[in-house]
Every structure is written in C-alpha cells, then in structure tokens.
Amino acid sequence: MNRFIVVGHKAVTSGDFKLDDMAGGAGRLDILLRCINSALFLSHGIRRDVEIFLILQGEPDPPRTIRINGSEVRYLNPDERSTGALVRNALVKKLDGDEVRSSPGIYISRRSFKQVIDELASISRLVYLKEDGQDVRQQELEGDLTFIVSDHQDLREDEEAELLAHSPLTVTLGPHSYHADHCITIMLNELDRRRWNEP
Amino acid sequence: MNRFIVVGHKAVTSGDFKLDDMAGGAGRLDILLRCINSALFLSHGIRRDVEIFLILQGEPDPPRTIRINGSEVRYLNPDERSTGALVRNALVKKLDGDEVRSSPGIYISRRSFKQVIDELASISRLVYLKEDGQDVRQQELEGDLTFIVSDHQDLREDEEAELLAHSPLTVTLGPHSYHADHCITIMLNELDRRRWNEP
C-alpha cells in the first residue's frame, strides 16, 4: 500500500463552506482536493492500492482527519468541485469517538497529525517529502510506504519534530519546490516505474 | 522554452458556461484547467519559461486556441474555478483574424490544432506523449521543446496524422496511462532534473 498524509494547516473543519470559495473561505481546501486527485486517479481508473489522509487544522473545530481508501472509494471525479462536495459531506458528520464513514471509501475522525503518523509508523515506512532531502531516485523504496507532504505552508516545528521522532526517510523530488499535489504525482510515477522495470 | 499543446476535443468554444459546471456543460474544460496549473505553477511562483496552448474543439464555434505565456501571465491562481474565469474571459473576446489578448499573458485565436503544430514545428522540437512511446528517461531532450497531450480522449486519427507528419519524438512516462495534467507535471519534473544534474 502507498499512503499519503497531507497537512492542511488552515483547512476548514466544518461543512459550512461554499463550493464556490474553496480556495478562500475554506482555508485552501483546494490544495487538498488536488492532492486527492493526484493520489487516486489514473487515466482509466482509480489507484486501488493508495490511501490518502487529509489532516485539517483550520477553524472552527480542529483537528479532523479525512481518510480516503482507493480500494473502496466511489462517486469520486477528478474535478475540484465534486471532490469538494464529498469532503463537505464528510465534514458534516457528527463525531463521537470513532472514525465514521461518510460515503464509500471516505472516513472522518478527530485524529491529529501526531495520532495518524504514530499509528502508521507501526505498519508502514514513513517518507518525508522535503526540499533538502536526498534524491528520491537514489533511494530504496519498498514495502508499505507513507509519504508526508504539507500544503502551501511547511510543517510547523512541532509537527516536524513529531515526524522526525520516527526517523523517516527524507527525500526530495527535484531542484524546485513543488505544489503538494504535484509532489504526489511525481512520487507515484517514480513508484510505478520501479515496478515497471522489475524483471 | 518548454511548450505544451493540450487538445480539448469537447471543450466549449463560447464564454457561455457556468463556473459551477466546468466538468459537465463546458465539455471537460476542467481537464484543461488542471493542465494550466501543472504547466505553470511551482510552489513559490510561475514557470516563466513555459507556454501552454489549449486547443478547444467543442461547440458552438470551434476551433479556439488559448495561449498562456508564463513570462507574461498575471492574475493566475492554482484553483480550477479562478482559472476557469480567466479562460471564460478569453472566450468572450470578439475575434476577427488575429490573436487577441484577453488578460496579461493570455491570448485567444481561431487557430486549429494543425495550424498550431505547423507553426511550432518550425521553431521547436515536437514531442508526442503517448502510452506506446519510448521511455522518456532514455531520450535526449534539449532545446526548445513542444509536448503534445490529449484530454480524456486520444488524438483523433486525422490529428495524429497531422502530428506524425512532423516526425515527432514519441515518448511515454511510465507503465500506466496518466491524466493529461499529471503527464505535464511528470514531464516538467524530468526536465527540471536534467538541468539540476548538469555540471
């Protein structure tokens, strides 16, 4: 399984936002929606072996974690607006303790960034995508992998410390700083190619 | 200069569409909008050395070619909705013979796919992104390059014949068929890396 964790530092944590204003009033939710597209879409289908976690940290009630599992997800289209509607459906769910399903393959909980990485660290290798990391093409990448990317803001110092406590591999994709969704597209292509070239 | 030509086989050719319905009534214009994002955005700025041509072939008055030049473009944001508004502004322009500017760096004309590739072939190397091409990482890619990708439909036979008449390099990016915008992201990363590794 390939997993992606995307931190949305200002992303809205209620369903009370307009689909017409996802880049503004919804705290740059548009970035997270493009990450869903990059993580899950191939030209003729869904990547069934990918799971993406969106960590929403904006007002009014942070945190929320939305988990989308490629092997189960339905009703997903590539455009931002329809994906925004699915995310909004998740955000209106009433939450007690446990994770709740809002539509097939889409789940929401009150888990924090730290809780998500602590859980995944026990079953998956954490890989931090960061400009000053090692060149991805020179790294071994095998088994269950979880890639961590941030939205338009870097991880905060406390978030980075929580992640570094797990001694992740830290890799970079190229000489530029890329948008989070572009990082996911490039990373998945690199993984695709490795399986392509296997004997 | 790196250039991209994206063919939108059903993409609307009037400004009479709703920003709420770009994946439907506007003939999958959403695909072209994501291609603009992929071609022009880095995390902290615009790719000034990139130009993208969108060939719109839908109703009511095809063709239209929208050209966006990275060195001039302004008012561009990464989300689909705001980019859709810029494209709509271009589509409402009255056209006689020549290309017309609708906003800084954004131009529209009645040029067809064939006209655009015939023009560019004289100043640029054409590269056709296609599933059965040669592996991109094994190819020499230097000088002024123009990459041709199609939307959710393959190039028609007549379009492919017009392109192949220029003997383009034909390359593939990996073992899967990717969305057009993902192809652009992967291709630009490959080009970035080649310059990164130059002595």
Side-chain angles (χ1 to χ4, degrees), chain B residues 55-76:
Chain B
I55 318 285
L56 286 66
Q57 301 185 337
E59 294 302 321
D61 190 22
R64 289 287 189 281
T65 289
I66 294 178
R67 177 171 71 87
I68 307 181
N69 183 291
S71 70
E72 303 168 31
V73 72
R74 295 184 62 184
Y75 315 127
L76 189 66

PDB file of all heavy atoms in Angstrom, chain B residues 55-76:
ATOM      1  N   ILE B  55      -6.252  23.719 -27.193  1.00  0.00           N
ATOM      2  CA  ILE B  55      -6.993  23.687 -28.453  1.00  0.00           C
ATOM      3  C   ILE B  55      -8.418  23.238 -28.137  1.00  0.00           C
ATOM      4  O   ILE B  55      -8.657  22.068 -27.841  1.00  0.00           O
ATOM      5  CB  ILE B  55      -6.363  22.704 -29.460  1.00  0.00           C
ATOM      6  CG1 ILE B  55      -4.828  22.795 -29.459  1.00  0.00           C
ATOM      7  CG2 ILE B  55      -6.953  22.913 -30.840  1.00  0.00           C
ATOM      8  CD1 ILE B  55      -4.235  23.979 -30.120  1.00  0.00           C
ATOM      9  N   LEU B  56      -9.342  24.167 -28.186  1.00  0.00           N
ATOM     10  CA  LEU B  56     -10.737  23.884 -27.815  1.00  0.00           C
ATOM     11  C   LEU B  56     -11.533  23.547 -29.066  1.00  0.00           C
ATOM     12  O   LEU B  56     -11.578  24.340 -30.015  1.00  0.00           O
ATOM     13  CB  LEU B  56     -11.347  25.089 -27.108  1.00  0.00           C
ATOM     14  CG  LEU B  56     -10.892  25.348 -25.660  1.00  0.00           C
ATOM     15  CD1 LEU B  56      -9.429  25.735 -25.589  1.00  0.00           C
ATOM     16  CD2 LEU B  56     -11.748  26.429 -25.010  1.00  0.00           C
ATOM     17  N   GLN B  57     -12.167  22.383 -29.036  1.00  0.00           N
ATOM     18  CA  GLN B  57     -12.832  21.891 -30.249  1.00  0.00           C
ATOM     19  C   GLN B  57     -14.319  21.604 -30.042  1.00  0.00           C
ATOM     20  O   GLN B  57     -14.949  20.970 -30.891  1.00  0.00           O
ATOM     21  CB  GLN B  57     -12.124  20.618 -30.733  1.00  0.00           C
ATOM     22  CG  GLN B  57     -10.650  20.850 -31.045  1.00  0.00           C
ATOM     23  CD  GLN B  57      -9.981  19.628 -31.638  1.00  0.00           C
ATOM     24  OE1 GLN B  57     -10.460  18.514 -31.442  1.00  0.00           O
ATOM     25  NE2 GLN B  57      -8.886  19.843 -32.335  1.00  0.00           N
ATOM     26  N   GLY B  58     -14.853  22.047 -28.925  1.00  0.00           N
ATOM     27  CA  GLY B  58     -16.272  21.788 -28.681  1.00  0.00           C
ATOM     28  C   GLY B  58     -17.169  22.817 -29.355  1.00  0.00           C
ATOM     29  O   GLY B  58     -16.716  23.728 -30.049  1.00  0.00           O
ATOM     30  N   GLU B  59     -18.463  22.682 -29.130  1.00  0.00           N
ATOM     31  CA  GLU B  59     -19.435  23.631 -29.660  1.00  0.00           C
ATOM     32  C   GLU B  59     -19.329  24.946 -28.897  1.00  0.00           C
ATOM     33  O   GLU B  59     -18.773  24.970 -27.818  1.00  0.00           O
ATOM     34  CB  GLU B  59     -20.842  23.030 -29.522  1.00  0.00           C
ATOM     35  CG  GLU B  59     -21.078  21.782 -30.386  1.00  0.00           C
ATOM     36  CD  GLU B  59     -20.863  22.046 -31.861  1.00  0.00           C
ATOM     37  OE1 GLU B  59     -21.241  23.135 -32.338  1.00  0.00           O
ATOM     38  OE2 GLU B  59     -20.313  21.159 -32.536  1.00  0.00           O
ATOM     39  N   PRO B  60     -19.813  26.059 -29.416  1.00  0.00           N
ATOM     40  CA  PRO B  60     -20.589  26.185 -30.651  1.00  0.00           C
ATOM     41  C   PRO B  60     -19.770  26.663 -31.856  1.00  0.00           C
ATOM     42  O   PRO B  60     -20.313  26.678 -32.956  1.00  0.00           O
ATOM     43  CB  PRO B  60     -21.611  27.271 -30.282  1.00  0.00           C
ATOM     44  CG  PRO B  60     -20.850  28.158 -29.340  1.00  0.00           C
ATOM     45  CD  PRO B  60     -19.912  27.267 -28.582  1.00  0.00           C
ATOM     46  N   ASP B  61     -18.500  27.001 -31.678  1.00  0.00           N
ATOM     47  CA  ASP B  61     -17.780  27.667 -32.766  1.00  0.00           C
ATOM     48  C   ASP B  61     -16.308  27.261 -32.798  1.00  0.00           C
ATOM     49  O   ASP B  61     -15.421  28.105 -32.672  1.00  0.00           O
ATOM     50  CB  ASP B  61     -17.916  29.198 -32.589  1.00  0.00           C
ATOM     51  CG  ASP B  61     -17.418  29.969 -33.798  1.00  0.00           C
ATOM     52  OD1 ASP B  61     -17.366  29.387 -34.903  1.00  0.00           O
ATOM     53  OD2 ASP B  61     -17.067  31.153 -33.632  1.00  0.00           O
ATOM     54  N   PRO B  62     -16.005  25.970 -32.951  1.00  0.00           N
ATOM     55  CA  PRO B  62     -14.616  25.521 -32.937  1.00  0.00           C
ATOM     56  C   PRO B  62     -13.888  25.909 -34.222  1.00  0.00           C
ATOM     57  O   PRO B  62     -14.564  26.129 -35.237  1.00  0.00           O
ATOM     58  CB  PRO B  62     -14.745  23.999 -32.827  1.00  0.00           C
ATOM     59  CG  PRO B  62     -16.063  23.672 -33.478  1.00  0.00           C
ATOM     60  CD  PRO B  62     -16.945  24.846 -33.151  1.00  0.00           C
ATOM     61  N   PRO B  63     -12.557  25.932 -34.236  1.00  0.00           N
ATOM     62  CA  PRO B  63     -11.717  25.784 -33.054  1.00  0.00           C
ATOM     63  C   PRO B  63     -11.374  27.130 -32.426  1.00  0.00           C
ATOM     64  O   PRO B  63     -11.516  28.177 -33.057  1.00  0.00           O
ATOM     65  CB  PRO B  63     -10.442  25.164 -33.653  1.00  0.00           C
ATOM     66  CG  PRO B  63     -10.338  25.795 -35.011  1.00  0.00           C
ATOM     67  CD  PRO B  63     -11.758  25.995 -35.489  1.00  0.00           C
ATOM     68  N   ARG B  64     -10.923  27.067 -31.173  1.00  0.00           N
ATOM     69  CA  ARG B  64     -10.297  28.205 -30.499  1.00  0.00           C
ATOM     70  C   ARG B  64      -8.977  27.707 -29.917  1.00  0.00           C
ATOM     71  O   ARG B  64      -8.928  26.584 -29.401  1.00  0.00           O
ATOM     72  CB  ARG B  64     -11.143  28.726 -29.345  1.00  0.00           C
ATOM     73  CG  ARG B  64     -12.406  29.438 -29.733  1.00  0.00           C
ATOM     74  CD  ARG B  64     -12.109  30.819 -30.321  1.00  0.00           C
ATOM     75  NE  ARG B  64     -13.326  31.598 -30.492  1.00  0.00           N
ATOM     76  CZ  ARG B  64     -14.183  31.435 -31.495  1.00  0.00           C
ATOM     77  NH1 ARG B  64     -13.957  30.517 -32.417  1.00  0.00           N
ATOM     78  NH2 ARG B  64     -15.268  32.186 -31.565  1.00  0.00           N
ATOM     79  N   THR B  65      -7.958  28.538 -30.003  1.00  0.00           N
ATOM     80  CA  THR B  65      -6.703  28.232 -29.320  1.00  0.00           C
ATOM     81  C   THR B  65      -6.438  29.304 -28.277  1.00  0.00           C
ATOM     82  O   THR B  65      -6.383  30.499 -28.608  1.00  0.00           O
ATOM     83  CB  THR B  65      -5.528  28.155 -30.309  1.00  0.00           C
ATOM     84  OG1 THR B  65      -5.674  26.964 -31.102  1.00  0.00           O
ATOM     85  CG2 THR B  65      -4.191  28.095 -29.573  1.00  0.00           C
ATOM     86  N   ILE B  66      -6.314  28.877 -27.045  1.00  0.00           N
ATOM     87  CA  ILE B  66      -5.945  29.792 -25.961  1.00  0.00           C
ATOM     88  C   ILE B  66      -4.477  29.540 -25.642  1.00  0.00           C
ATOM     89  O   ILE B  66      -4.069  28.403 -25.383  1.00  0.00           O
ATOM     90  CB  ILE B  66      -6.828  29.564 -24.725  1.00  0.00           C
ATOM     91  CG1 ILE B  66      -8.276  29.949 -25.063  1.00  0.00           C
ATOM     92  CG2 ILE B  66      -6.307  30.377 -23.532  1.00  0.00           C
ATOM     93  CD1 ILE B  66      -9.268  29.723 -23.939  1.00  0.00           C
ATOM     94  N   ARG B  67      -3.694  30.601 -25.699  1.00  0.00           N
ATOM     95  CA  ARG B  67      -2.257  30.509 -25.440  1.00  0.00           C
ATOM     96  C   ARG B  67      -1.950  31.253 -24.146  1.00  0.00           C
ATOM     97  O   ARG B  67      -2.366  32.406 -23.993  1.00  0.00           O
ATOM     98  CB  ARG B  67      -1.491  31.133 -26.610  1.00  0.00           C
ATOM     99  CG  ARG B  67       0.013  31.176 -26.429  1.00  0.00           C
ATOM    100  CD  ARG B  67       0.708  31.594 -27.715  1.00  0.00           C
ATOM    101  NE  ARG B  67       0.506  33.010 -28.052  1.00  0.00           N
ATOM    102  CZ  ARG B  67       1.280  34.017 -27.606  1.00  0.00           C
ATOM    103  NH1 ARG B  67       2.314  33.786 -26.814  1.00  0.00           N
ATOM    104  NH2 ARG B  67       1.014  35.265 -27.984  1.00  0.00           N
ATOM    105  N   ILE B  68      -1.262  30.616 -23.233  1.00  0.00           N
ATOM    106  CA  ILE B  68      -0.893  31.264 -21.968  1.00  0.00           C
ATOM    107  C   ILE B  68       0.620  31.227 -21.845  1.00  0.00           C
ATOM    108  O   ILE B  68       1.242  30.165 -21.870  1.00  0.00           O
ATOM    109  CB  ILE B  68      -1.545  30.567 -20.764  1.00  0.00           C
ATOM    110  CG1 ILE B  68      -3.060  30.459 -20.978  1.00  0.00           C
ATOM    111  CG2 ILE B  68      -1.233  31.321 -19.470  1.00  0.00           C
ATOM    112  CD1 ILE B  68      -3.808  29.804 -19.832  1.00  0.00           C
ATOM    113  N   ASN B  69       1.190  32.408 -21.746  1.00  0.00           N
ATOM    114  CA  ASN B  69       2.643  32.545 -21.709  1.00  0.00           C
ATOM    115  C   ASN B  69       3.097  32.834 -20.280  1.00  0.00           C
ATOM    116  O   ASN B  69       2.718  33.836 -19.682  1.00  0.00           O
ATOM    117  CB  ASN B  69       3.046  33.684 -22.653  1.00  0.00           C
ATOM    118  CG  ASN B  69       4.548  33.830 -22.728  1.00  0.00           C
ATOM    119  OD1 ASN B  69       5.176  34.232 -21.754  1.00  0.00           O
ATOM    120  ND2 ASN B  69       5.122  33.480 -23.862  1.00  0.00           N
ATOM    121  N   GLY B  70       3.927  31.938 -19.748  1.00  0.00           N
ATOM    122  CA  GLY B  70       4.341  32.032 -18.348  1.00  0.00           C
ATOM    123  C   GLY B  70       5.136  33.277 -18.012  1.00  0.00           C
ATOM    124  O   GLY B  70       5.126  33.727 -16.862  1.00  0.00           O
ATOM    125  N   SER B  71       5.817  33.851 -18.993  1.00  0.00           N
ATOM    126  CA  SER B  71       6.637  35.027 -18.685  1.00  0.00           C
ATOM    127  C   SER B  71       5.795  36.296 -18.563  1.00  0.00           C
ATOM    128  O   SER B  71       6.259  37.300 -18.051  1.00  0.00           O
ATOM    129  CB  SER B  71       7.726  35.213 -19.743  1.00  0.00           C
ATOM    130  OG  SER B  71       7.162  35.611 -20.962  1.00  0.00           O
ATOM    131  N   GLU B  72       4.559  36.240 -19.040  1.00  0.00           N
ATOM    132  CA  GLU B  72       3.709  37.434 -19.027  1.00  0.00           C
ATOM    133  C   GLU B  72       2.485  37.295 -18.139  1.00  0.00           C
ATOM    134  O   GLU B  72       1.873  38.304 -17.761  1.00  0.00           O
ATOM    135  CB  GLU B  72       3.184  37.724 -20.449  1.00  0.00           C
ATOM    136  CG  GLU B  72       4.238  37.913 -21.500  1.00  0.00           C
ATOM    137  CD  GLU B  72       3.595  37.886 -22.905  1.00  0.00           C
ATOM    138  OE1 GLU B  72       2.424  38.291 -23.053  1.00  0.00           O
ATOM    139  OE2 GLU B  72       4.272  37.428 -23.838  1.00  0.00           O
ATOM    140  N   VAL B  73       2.103  36.048 -17.842  1.00  0.00           N
ATOM    141  CA  VAL B  73       0.778  35.836 -17.255  1.00  0.00           C
ATOM    142  C   VAL B  73       0.646  36.487 -15.881  1.00  0.00           C
ATOM    143  O   VAL B  73       1.598  36.523 -15.094  1.00  0.00           O
ATOM    144  CB  VAL B  73       0.437  34.331 -17.189  1.00  0.00           C
ATOM    145  CG1 VAL B  73       1.237  33.611 -16.127  1.00  0.00           C
ATOM    146  CG2 VAL B  73      -1.066  34.109 -16.989  1.00  0.00           C
ATOM    147  N   ARG B  74      -0.532  37.017 -15.607  1.00  0.00           N
ATOM    148  CA  ARG B  74      -0.863  37.586 -14.296  1.00  0.00           C
ATOM    149  C   ARG B  74      -2.268  37.131 -13.882  1.00  0.00           C
ATOM    150  O   ARG B  74      -3.023  36.634 -14.713  1.00  0.00           O
ATOM    151  CB  ARG B  74      -0.811  39.115 -14.348  1.00  0.00           C
ATOM    152  CG  ARG B  74       0.609  39.621 -14.613  1.00  0.00           C
ATOM    153  CD  ARG B  74       0.658  41.134 -14.565  1.00  0.00           C
ATOM    154  NE  ARG B  74       0.294  41.657 -13.243  1.00  0.00           N
ATOM    155  CZ  ARG B  74       0.179  42.935 -12.950  1.00  0.00           C
ATOM    156  NH1 ARG B  74       0.391  43.843 -13.882  1.00  0.00           N
ATOM    157  NH2 ARG B  74      -0.147  43.335 -11.727  1.00  0.00           N
ATOM    158  N   TYR B  75      -2.562  37.337 -12.617  1.00  0.00           N
ATOM    159  CA  TYR B  75      -3.880  37.013 -12.054  1.00  0.00           C
ATOM    160  C   TYR B  75      -4.201  35.519 -12.101  1.00  0.00           C
ATOM    161  O   TYR B  75      -5.360  35.125 -12.072  1.00  0.00           O
ATOM    162  CB  TYR B  75      -5.000  37.795 -12.769  1.00  0.00           C
ATOM    163  CG  TYR B  75      -4.684  39.253 -12.989  1.00  0.00           C
ATOM    164  CD1 TYR B  75      -4.772  39.818 -14.250  1.00  0.00           C
ATOM    165  CD2 TYR B  75      -4.260  40.048 -11.922  1.00  0.00           C
ATOM    166  CE1 TYR B  75      -4.473  41.158 -14.462  1.00  0.00           C
ATOM    167  CE2 TYR B  75      -3.957  41.392 -12.124  1.00  0.00           C
ATOM    168  CZ  TYR B  75      -4.061  41.939 -13.380  1.00  0.00           C
ATOM    169  OH  TYR B  75      -3.760  43.243 -13.593  1.00  0.00           O
ATOM    170  N   LEU B  76      -3.175  34.682 -12.209  1.00  0.00           N
ATOM    171  CA  LEU B  76      -3.413  33.239 -12.277  1.00  0.00           C
ATOM    172  C   LEU B  76      -3.273  32.644 -10.883  1.00  0.00           C
ATOM    173  O   LEU B  76      -2.283  32.891 -10.187  1.00  0.00           O
ATOM    174  CB  LEU B  76      -2.382  32.611 -13.219  1.00  0.00           C
ATOM    175  CG  LEU B  76      -2.589  31.142 -13.587  1.00  0.00           C
ATOM    176  CD1 LEU B  76      -3.857  30.949 -14.418  1.00  0.00           C
ATOM    177  CD2 LEU B  76      -1.375  30.624 -14.377  1.00  0.00           C
TER     178      LEU B  76
END
